[in-house]
Amino acid sequence: MANMKLYLLLGLFAFVLRMLVIQGAEGTCRLLGKFDLRGFMESENHMLIIGGMFPIHFRTIPEKEPTTSEPVSPKCEGFNFRGFRWARAMIHAVQEVNNRLDILPNITLGYHIYDTCFTTSKTVEGTLAYLTGQNETMPNFRCSAGAPLVAVIGAGGSTLTIASSRIVGLYYFPEVGYASSCSVLSDKYQFPSFLRTIPNDNHQSLAMAELVRHFGWVWIGTIAADDDYGKYGIKYFKQNVEKSGICIAFSETIPKIYSREKILEVVEAIKESTANIIVVYSSDIDLSPLMEAIAHNNITGKTWIASEAWVTSALIAKPEYFSFLGGTIGFGVRRGDIPGLKDFLLDVHPDNDARDDLTIEFWQTAFNCTWPNSSIPYNTDFRINVTGRESGVHPVSDQLCTGKEKLEDIKNTYLDVSELRITYNVYKAVFTVAHFLGFVNDVRDNYSR
């Protein structure tokens, strides 16, 4: 294990050292196959670039009809205030590193941040864009003469990170995960350049099993998201509890791509089972449709054991869910404080950058108003919800935004800095990369003397 860590460190060192010397491909190049990626970029007058991938939206808009034409990069919907805060926290951390003289003296960091829309397809698009240097489709040819990209912070959930890390790992390109806890990511043969600031899920699964044994529960149900995070997490949990003679009453999966029929099947399994203890391994985004369906069917009297991805999520901790989620037990990610973050989060406004369409969408969604002369949609939902009603757009206000709205007045997760957990992991990930770059810079300086 010590040798493996040493090899990884030397590999990352060699890669970053090479990127510090090579400033980009010579000449000009042009690639075909554009992606539709949204995010934040700040690269001018910076020596090194850090990439970041965050779920600023909940999902992509499904195609209404199959098409035989060339695939088109999908649009996204469902603004995610929590993911927007994570992205802003990364920008805050990069600026803090640049303002300090003890980490990277004489070197400034820029950033390229992409929205994954909590989907694998968008994550892969962002990953390929990092490797090519443009919003293009060829992973083995970097067409960029700007500052070199030295690492990626991302990509959010475990399934998204597995998809991106398999690609960047082919080039031993460093990726630091902030919310990817799946145990399979610890396999250095599959993911040689992946690191993370969140614990391996095996620890959580074992703790859940100990919790069940502690309370003497012997008849339980399990629900897992239909992805690597849910499947590996619940598998390891089952292996531990079944050794103690604990029986699994039912085992259901939540679809990764929204399916009303599948959600209702899970609801029926819960209603028909006599098990009152239910262990759920899922992200808050994947779990949200199921919670909506449980509330609609008025299922109560269950004790829920939550994984870290949803136990502290405001998307699930809604007043309308308190009647059946009261008493939920789970293990949260370690929290931390980030100096100056609250003020930085408040310093966001559409007028700061007329090209920043994500901030315009954030403003429209937060205050339920339409920014003047803006064609950016908001509050869209092209799914069919659990009641069977189909609506392309939620009710939106005809009122125009004035720009004088006060962020202090909104009540959502964006400004909630009281329990910084994943946000703190993002912050730590940026500083992990910065300190490593500082180490490489010191070695290079000593070598050149």
Side-chain angles (χ1 to χ4, degrees):
M1 182 61 72
N3 288 337
M4 179 64 71
K5 291 182 178 179
L6 177 61
Y7 294 149
L8 177 61
L9 181 62
L10 291 175
L12 293 177
F13 171 75
F15 176 85
V16 175
L17 191 61
R18 178 172 62 88
M19 294 301 289
L20 288 171
V21 176
I22 301 175
Q23 294 298 310
E26 295 183 358
T28 60
C29 54
R30 176 175 172 271
L31 302 176
L32 301 177
K34 286 284 187 180
F35 297 141
D36 182 16
L37 293 169
R38 301 171 67 189
F40 304 99
M41 292 192 182
E42 178 62 51
S43 57
E44 293 185 7
N45 302 319
H46 294 292
M47 297 179 65
L48 302 172
I49 303 298
I50 298 179
M53 291 192 281
F54 302 93
I56 301 176
H57 287 86
F58 288 129
R59 56 190 172 270
T60 54
I61 299 176
E63 294 185 9
K64 293 184 178 180
E65 297 179 0
T67 177
T68 57
S69 60
E70 181 179 342
V72 178
S73 183
K75 302 290 184 180
C76 302
E77 67 176 6
F79 197 85
N80 182 2
F81 290 104
R82 194 182 184 203
F84 189 66
R85 188 219 299 153
W86 295 346
R88 294 280 297 169
M90 175 177 166
I91 297 173
H92 173 66
V94 169
Q95 292 183 0
E96 184 177 334
V97 169
N98 288 338
N99 291 332
R100 291 177 56 170
L101 301 177
D102 58 331
I103 301 178
L104 287 173
N106 304 319
I107 294 178
T108 59
L109 300 176
Y111 52 83
H112 285 183
I113 295 175
Y114 292 132
D115 178 13
T116 67
C117 304
F118 200 65
T119 59
T120 302
S121 61
K122 281 293 183 183
T123 301
V124 171
E125 287 182 9
T127 305
L128 294 178
Y130 287 133
L131 293 178
T132 62
Q134 300 181 7
N135 290 355
E136 314 279 357
T137 58
M138 294 179 61
N140 62 341
F141 190 81
R142 182 166 177 81
C143 181
S144 174
L149 189 81
V150 294
V152 175
I153 309 298
S158 295
T159 298
L160 308 183
T161 301
I162 287 173
S164 63
S165 193
R166 286 194 190 280
I167 298 173
V168 300
L170 296 173
Y171 307 93
Y172 289 86
F173 196 96
E175 181 169 8
V176 184
Y178 56 87
S180 309
S181 55
C182 184
S183 59
V184 72
L185 284 164
S186 295
D187 186 343
K188 291 304 178 185
Y189 292 99
Q190 294 190 63
F191 309 99
S193 59
F194 177 75
L195 304 168
R196 53 183 161 192
T197 56
I198 188 171
N200 184 322
D201 266 338
N202 283 353
H203 303 293
Q204 178 174 214
S205 297
L206 181 59
M208 284 179 166
E210 291 294 333
L211 183 69
V212 169
R213 281 192 285 265
H214 173 78
F215 285 105
W217 294 323
V218 295
W219 186 238
I220 61 177
T222 64
I223 300 175
D226 191 14
D227 56 20
D228 296 292
Y229 168 72
K231 290 178 178 178
Y232 280 98
I234 213 69
K235 176 184 177 181
Y236 196 69
F237 167 79
K238 286 182 182 179
Q239 290 175 349
N240 278 278
V241 297
E242 288 174 348
K243 295 176 183 177
S244 304
I246 297 170
C247 298
I248 306 299
F250 64 86
S251 187
E252 296 290 334
T253 58
I254 303 172
K256 195 67 180 173
I257 300 176
Y258 178 78
S259 167
R260 178 172 177 264
E261 292 74 18
K262 181 58 181 176
I263 291 293
L264 293 179
E265 288 179 12
V266 178
V267 170
E268 286 303 311
I270 297 172
K271 290 169 65 176
E272 294 175 1
S273 176
T274 57
N276 291 323
I277 310 300
I278 303 177
V279 178
V280 182
Y281 240 106
S282 170
S283 70
D284 54 346
I285 297 175
D286 290 332
L287 183 61
S288 183
L290 177 60
M291 291 294 104
E292 182 183 349
I294 290 173
H296 180 73
N297 285 270
N298 194 29
I299 299 175
T300 59
K302 308 293 183 181
T303 298
W304 301 81
I305 300 178
S307 64
E308 98 295 336
W310 69 274
V311 68
T312 59
S313 172
L315 187 64
I316 304 300
K318 297 180 178 179
E320 56 265 37
Y321 297 163
F322 288 171
S323 62
F324 62 90
L325 285 181
T328 297
I329 308 173
F331 296 92
V333 176
R334 181 179 179 180
R335 65 173 298 276
D337 297 318
I338 302 178
L341 180 62
K342 182 66 174 288
D343 292 336
F344 183 79
L345 294 178
L346 287 169
D347 186 26
V348 60
H349 197 281
D351 282 339
N352 293 345
D353 186 353
R355 300 168 299 175
D356 186 358
D357 57 350
L358 283 175
T359 298
I360 293 176
E361 185 179 357
F362 159 76
W363 202 270
Q364 292 181 150
T365 308
F367 296 107
N368 195 26
C369 60
T370 302
W371 192 255
N373 302 318
S374 171
S375 60
I376 299 172
Y378 66 105
N379 284 353
T380 60
D381 188 349
F382 286 89
R383 303 169 303 168
I384 301 176
N385 65 20
V386 293
T387 61
R389 293 180 289 105
E390 182 176 7
S391 59
V393 180
H394 287 169
V396 296
S397 174
D398 294 330
Q399 180 180 354
L400 291 178
C401 304
T402 65
K404 297 181 180 179
E405 294 85 3
K406 295 182 178 180
L407 285 175
E408 297 90 338
D409 295 337
I410 64 175
K411 304 294 182 182
N412 60 44
T413 57
Y414 173 69
L415 288 176
D416 185 3
V417 297
S418 61
E419 294 288 333
L420 298 178
R421 299 179 188 275
I422 300 300
T423 308
Y424 186 59
N425 283 351
V426 173
Y427 183 77
K428 289 190 295 183
V430 172
F431 272 84
T432 297
V433 173
H435 280 290
F436 178 75
L437 291 174
F439 166 74
V440 173
N441 191 49
D442 291 341
V443 172
R444 186 186 66 169
D445 290 343
N446 291 333
Y447 180 77
S448 61
R449 290 173 184 171

